[in-house]
Amino acid sequence: MHHRVVVVEHEADAGLGYFEGWLAGAGVDCDVVRPYLGEDVPAEPGDGLIVLGGAASAWDDAGFPWQPATRELLRTAVEASVPALGICLGAQLMTLACGGVVERGEPGLEVGLRTVATLPAAADDPLFGVLPPVARAVQYHSDAMTVLPPGAVPMATGDPYPAQGYRLGDRAWAVQFHPEATPEIFTSWLADPSPLTAAGYDPAALDAEVRAARDALHATWRPFAEAFAAVVTRAEPRSGPPAPLSIPCDRAITARNH
């Protein structure tokens, strides 16, 4: 029996990438919702929920009017213990939805193949527990999760952005990096090199480094995706409406993320 996960995709060049095949191979089908094409964000997360990255800032509801519904969907999943994974912008939306703070990152743009390190709590975590102590991951963001939601357990850190991953409740995770990104997806993010060169990066060097890491990315992040699939397939089915929300409401917070 295949389980079905709702996936919110914010833009065409920030899709499921590696995760599409990895999740399907682990018994999880993905229902991709594309609100940038006018599709409605559902009110319910199905057997699980993945919210992907994108160019938006997590508070820019005027420019990306589906974000309030996406935050509400994330909050519903967390409250109902439906397996949920927020990636980059998705992680920031989860953070805002559940009472944390997202702001412009003082260190500026973090992009390319970067190091993330797991924290002690990760050892017993269903997802982060499959990772090595130090791993390399694709990054592209300028905004940052500066205050995690109440009750969040930090899972991974990095430099210059320490908040790289956390777990919230039993079955919700947020990652600032991109475990799903293929080298081809990363190349598409370099189509406009001006933000990178303005920040002192060499786009060609970044691209070459990510392409050279293809096998390592596959080896590191496929077990992570399969671990999320295992949580989805082992989770007890939902019955009835979710419990009343106890998580604080969104905080209004006044570069490009993926």
Side-chain angles (χ1 to χ4, degrees), residues 94-134:
M94 182 185 291
T95 300
L96 283 184
C98 298
V101 177
V102 179
E103 302 173 285
R104 293 290 188 197
E106 289 187 7
L109 181 63
E110 181 178 38
V111 60
L113 194 67
R114 305 298 291 264
T115 297
V116 294
T118 56
L119 295 167
D124 298 323
D125 184 75
L127 269 61
F128 284 88
V130 306
L131 298 178
V134 176

Short mmCIF file of all heavy atoms in Angstrom, two decimals, residues 94-134:
data_model
loop_
_atom_site.label_atom_id
_atom_site.label_comp_id
_atom_site.label_asym_id
_atom_site.label_seq_id
_atom_site.Cartn_x
_atom_site.Cartn_y
_atom_site.Cartn_z
N MET A 94 7.39 26.98 8.42
CA MET A 94 7.05 26.21 9.61
C MET A 94 7.44 26.99 10.87
O MET A 94 6.70 27.03 11.86
CB MET A 94 7.75 24.85 9.61
CG MET A 94 7.41 23.96 10.80
SD MET A 94 8.35 22.41 10.87
CE MET A 94 7.66 21.53 9.47
N THR A 95 8.60 27.61 10.82
CA THR A 95 9.08 28.38 11.97
C THR A 95 8.11 29.50 12.32
O THR A 95 7.71 29.68 13.48
CB THR A 95 10.48 28.92 11.69
OG1 THR A 95 11.37 27.82 11.44
CG2 THR A 95 11.01 29.74 12.85
N LEU A 96 7.72 30.29 11.32
CA LEU A 96 6.77 31.37 11.57
C LEU A 96 5.42 30.83 12.02
O LEU A 96 4.80 31.38 12.94
CB LEU A 96 6.59 32.21 10.31
CG LEU A 96 7.68 33.21 9.94
CD1 LEU A 96 7.26 34.01 8.71
CD2 LEU A 96 7.99 34.15 11.09
N ALA A 97 4.95 29.77 11.37
CA ALA A 97 3.63 29.23 11.67
C ALA A 97 3.53 28.76 13.11
O ALA A 97 2.45 28.80 13.71
CB ALA A 97 3.32 28.07 10.73
N CYS A 98 4.63 28.31 13.68
CA CYS A 98 4.61 27.68 14.99
C CYS A 98 5.23 28.53 16.09
O CYS A 98 5.58 28.03 17.16
CB CYS A 98 5.28 26.31 14.91
SG CYS A 98 4.43 25.18 13.80
N GLY A 99 5.38 29.84 15.84
CA GLY A 99 5.76 30.75 16.90
C GLY A 99 7.20 31.19 16.94
O GLY A 99 7.61 31.86 17.89
N GLY A 100 8.00 30.84 15.93
CA GLY A 100 9.39 31.29 15.87
C GLY A 100 9.54 32.58 15.09
O GLY A 100 8.56 33.24 14.73
N VAL A 101 10.78 32.94 14.80
CA VAL A 101 11.10 34.19 14.12
C VAL A 101 12.00 33.89 12.93
O VAL A 101 12.96 33.12 13.03
CB VAL A 101 11.80 35.18 15.07
CG1 VAL A 101 12.20 36.46 14.33
CG2 VAL A 101 10.89 35.53 16.25
N VAL A 102 11.69 34.53 11.81
CA VAL A 102 12.51 34.47 10.60
C VAL A 102 12.83 35.90 10.19
O VAL A 102 11.94 36.76 10.15
CB VAL A 102 11.79 33.74 9.46
CG1 VAL A 102 12.66 33.72 8.20
CG2 VAL A 102 11.43 32.32 9.86
N GLU A 103 14.10 36.16 9.90
CA GLU A 103 14.55 37.51 9.56
C GLU A 103 15.60 37.44 8.45
O GLU A 103 16.10 36.36 8.12
CB GLU A 103 15.17 38.17 10.78
CG GLU A 103 14.27 38.27 12.00
CD GLU A 103 15.01 38.79 13.20
OE1 GLU A 103 15.79 38.02 13.80
OE2 GLU A 103 14.80 39.97 13.54
N ARG A 104 15.93 38.60 7.90
CA ARG A 104 17.08 38.68 7.01
C ARG A 104 18.31 38.21 7.78
O ARG A 104 18.53 38.60 8.93
CB ARG A 104 17.30 40.11 6.54
CG ARG A 104 16.21 40.65 5.64
CD ARG A 104 16.21 39.99 4.28
NE ARG A 104 15.28 40.65 3.38
CZ ARG A 104 14.83 40.13 2.25
NH1 ARG A 104 15.20 38.91 1.91
NH2 ARG A 104 14.01 40.81 1.48
N GLY A 105 19.11 37.39 7.14
CA GLY A 105 20.30 36.87 7.80
C GLY A 105 21.44 37.88 7.78
O GLY A 105 21.83 38.34 6.71
N GLU A 106 21.96 38.18 8.94
CA GLU A 106 23.06 39.15 9.00
C GLU A 106 24.30 38.72 8.21
O GLU A 106 24.97 39.56 7.61
CB GLU A 106 23.43 39.42 10.46
CG GLU A 106 22.38 40.23 11.21
CD GLU A 106 22.86 40.63 12.60
OE1 GLU A 106 24.04 40.39 12.90
OE2 GLU A 106 22.06 41.19 13.36
N PRO A 107 24.66 37.41 8.19
CA PRO A 107 25.85 37.02 7.42
C PRO A 107 25.67 37.13 5.91
O PRO A 107 26.66 37.03 5.17
CB PRO A 107 26.07 35.56 7.83
CG PRO A 107 25.36 35.41 9.13
CD PRO A 107 24.17 36.30 9.03
N GLY A 108 24.44 37.30 5.44
CA GLY A 108 24.22 37.41 4.00
C GLY A 108 23.99 36.05 3.34
O GLY A 108 23.64 35.07 3.99
N LEU A 109 24.23 36.02 2.06
CA LEU A 109 23.91 34.85 1.24
C LEU A 109 24.78 33.65 1.60
O LEU A 109 26.01 33.75 1.67
CB LEU A 109 24.12 35.21 -0.24
CG LEU A 109 23.82 34.12 -1.27
CD1 LEU A 109 22.34 33.73 -1.23
CD2 LEU A 109 24.20 34.62 -2.67
N GLU A 110 24.11 32.52 1.85
CA GLU A 110 24.79 31.23 2.01
C GLU A 110 24.39 30.37 0.82
O GLU A 110 23.21 30.07 0.62
CB GLU A 110 24.41 30.54 3.31
CG GLU A 110 25.12 29.21 3.50
CD GLU A 110 24.80 28.52 4.82
OE1 GLU A 110 23.62 28.59 5.26
OE2 GLU A 110 25.70 27.90 5.40
N VAL A 111 25.38 29.95 0.03
CA VAL A 111 25.07 29.27 -1.22
C VAL A 111 26.16 28.26 -1.56
O VAL A 111 27.32 28.42 -1.19
CB VAL A 111 24.91 30.31 -2.37
CG1 VAL A 111 26.18 31.10 -2.58
CG2 VAL A 111 24.46 29.64 -3.66
N GLY A 112 25.75 27.19 -2.24
CA GLY A 112 26.69 26.18 -2.68
C GLY A 112 26.72 24.97 -1.77
O GLY A 112 25.79 24.73 -1.00
N LEU A 113 27.79 24.22 -1.86
CA LEU A 113 27.96 23.02 -1.05
C LEU A 113 28.56 23.42 0.29
O LEU A 113 29.71 23.86 0.36
CB LEU A 113 28.88 22.04 -1.80
CG LEU A 113 28.91 20.62 -1.27
CD1 LEU A 113 27.57 19.92 -1.49
CD2 LEU A 113 30.01 19.83 -1.95
N ARG A 114 27.78 23.26 1.35
CA ARG A 114 28.22 23.71 2.66
C ARG A 114 28.12 22.58 3.68
O ARG A 114 27.37 21.61 3.50
CB ARG A 114 27.37 24.90 3.13
CG ARG A 114 27.34 26.06 2.16
CD ARG A 114 28.72 26.66 1.93
NE ARG A 114 29.19 27.34 3.11
CZ ARG A 114 29.07 28.66 3.32
NH1 ARG A 114 28.47 29.42 2.41
NH2 ARG A 114 29.54 29.22 4.42
N THR A 115 28.85 22.74 4.78
CA THR A 115 28.90 21.72 5.81
C THR A 115 27.82 21.95 6.86
O THR A 115 27.62 23.08 7.32
CB THR A 115 30.28 21.72 6.50
OG1 THR A 115 31.28 21.39 5.54
CG2 THR A 115 30.33 20.71 7.63
N VAL A 116 27.11 20.88 7.21
CA VAL A 116 26.20 20.90 8.34
C VAL A 116 26.63 19.79 9.30
O VAL A 116 27.10 18.73 8.88
CB VAL A 116 24.74 20.71 7.92
CG1 VAL A 116 24.27 21.89 7.09
CG2 VAL A 116 24.52 19.42 7.16
N ALA A 117 26.49 20.06 10.59
CA ALA A 117 26.91 19.10 11.62
C ALA A 117 25.71 18.76 12.49
O ALA A 117 24.95 19.65 12.90
CB ALA A 117 28.03 19.70 12.47
N THR A 118 25.54 17.48 12.76
CA THR A 118 24.43 17.08 13.64
C THR A 118 24.78 17.39 15.09
O THR A 118 25.95 17.41 15.49
CB THR A 118 24.12 15.59 13.49
OG1 THR A 118 25.30 14.81 13.76
CG2 THR A 118 23.62 15.27 12.10
N LEU A 119 23.74 17.63 15.88
CA LEU A 119 23.87 17.93 17.30
C LEU A 119 23.55 16.68 18.12
O LEU A 119 23.02 15.70 17.59
CB LEU A 119 22.93 19.08 17.66
CG LEU A 119 23.28 20.41 16.98
CD1 LEU A 119 22.15 21.42 17.10
CD2 LEU A 119 24.58 20.98 17.56
N PRO A 120 23.87 16.66 19.42
CA PRO A 120 23.67 15.44 20.22
C PRO A 120 22.27 14.86 20.15
O PRO A 120 22.09 13.64 20.12
CB PRO A 120 24.03 15.91 21.64
CG PRO A 120 25.05 16.98 21.42
CD PRO A 120 24.60 17.70 20.19
N ALA A 121 21.24 15.72 20.11
CA ALA A 121 19.87 15.21 20.09
C ALA A 121 19.56 14.43 18.82
O ALA A 121 18.59 13.65 18.78
CB ALA A 121 18.88 16.37 20.23
N ALA A 122 20.36 14.61 17.78
CA ALA A 122 20.11 13.93 16.52
C ALA A 122 20.35 12.43 16.60
O ALA A 122 19.82 11.66 15.78
CB ALA A 122 20.99 14.52 15.42
N ALA A 123 21.11 11.99 17.57
CA ALA A 123 21.50 10.58 17.64
C ALA A 123 20.29 9.65 17.69
O ALA A 123 20.30 8.56 17.09
CB ALA A 123 22.40 10.34 18.84
N ASP A 124 19.24 10.07 18.39
CA ASP A 124 18.05 9.22 18.53
C ASP A 124 16.89 9.67 17.66
O ASP A 124 15.76 9.19 17.84
CB ASP A 124 17.60 9.21 20.00
CG ASP A 124 18.66 8.64 20.92
OD1 ASP A 124 19.34 7.68 20.52
OD2 ASP A 124 18.82 9.17 22.04
N ASP A 125 17.15 10.56 16.72
CA ASP A 125 16.08 11.09 15.88
C ASP A 125 15.86 10.17 14.68
O ASP A 125 16.81 9.68 14.08
CB ASP A 125 16.44 12.49 15.40
CG ASP A 125 15.33 13.12 14.60
OD1 ASP A 125 14.33 13.54 15.22
OD2 ASP A 125 15.43 13.17 13.36
N PRO A 126 14.59 9.96 14.28
CA PRO A 126 14.32 9.07 13.14
C PRO A 126 14.95 9.53 11.83
O PRO A 126 15.33 8.69 11.01
CB PRO A 126 12.79 9.08 13.05
CG PRO A 126 12.31 9.43 14.41
CD PRO A 126 13.35 10.38 14.95
N LEU A 127 15.06 10.85 11.61
CA LEU A 127 15.64 11.35 10.37
C LEU A 127 17.11 11.69 10.53
O LEU A 127 17.97 11.14 9.83
CB LEU A 127 14.88 12.59 9.89
CG LEU A 127 13.70 12.36 8.93
CD1 LEU A 127 12.64 11.50 9.59
CD2 LEU A 127 13.13 13.68 8.45
N PHE A 128 17.42 12.58 11.43
CA PHE A 128 18.80 13.04 11.56
C PHE A 128 19.72 11.96 12.09
O PHE A 128 20.94 12.03 11.91
CB PHE A 128 18.86 14.28 12.46
CG PHE A 128 18.40 15.53 11.79
CD1 PHE A 128 17.06 15.89 11.80
CD2 PHE A 128 19.29 16.35 11.12
CE1 PHE A 128 16.62 17.04 11.18
CE2 PHE A 128 18.87 17.50 10.48
CZ PHE A 128 17.53 17.85 10.51
N GLY A 129 19.14 10.95 12.73
CA GLY A 129 19.96 9.85 13.24
C GLY A 129 20.61 9.01 12.17
O GLY A 129 21.55 8.26 12.46
N VAL A 130 20.16 9.11 10.91
CA VAL A 130 20.77 8.34 9.83
C VAL A 130 21.95 9.08 9.20
O VAL A 130 22.64 8.53 8.34
CB VAL A 130 19.74 7.98 8.73
CG1 VAL A 130 18.55 7.27 9.33
CG2 VAL A 130 19.31 9.21 7.93
N LEU A 131 22.19 10.32 9.61
CA LEU A 131 23.24 11.12 9.00
C LEU A 131 24.58 10.92 9.71
O LEU A 131 24.62 10.61 10.90
CB LEU A 131 22.87 12.61 9.07
CG LEU A 131 21.62 13.04 8.33
CD1 LEU A 131 21.37 14.53 8.55
CD2 LEU A 131 21.73 12.73 6.84
N PRO A 132 25.67 11.15 8.98
CA PRO A 132 26.98 11.18 9.65
C PRO A 132 27.10 12.42 10.51
O PRO A 132 26.32 13.37 10.37
CB PRO A 132 27.97 11.22 8.47
CG PRO A 132 27.21 11.86 7.37
CD PRO A 132 25.78 11.41 7.53
N PRO A 133 28.07 12.47 11.41
CA PRO A 133 28.22 13.66 12.27
C PRO A 133 28.41 14.95 11.48
O PRO A 133 27.96 16.01 11.91
CB PRO A 133 29.46 13.34 13.11
CG PRO A 133 29.53 11.84 13.11
CD PRO A 133 29.04 11.40 11.78
N VAL A 134 29.07 14.87 10.34
CA VAL A 134 29.28 16.03 9.48
C VAL A 134 28.89 15.63 8.06
O VAL A 134 29.28 14.57 7.58
CB VAL A 134 30.74 16.51 9.52
CG1 VAL A 134 30.95 17.66 8.54
CG2 VAL A 134 31.12 16.94 10.93
#
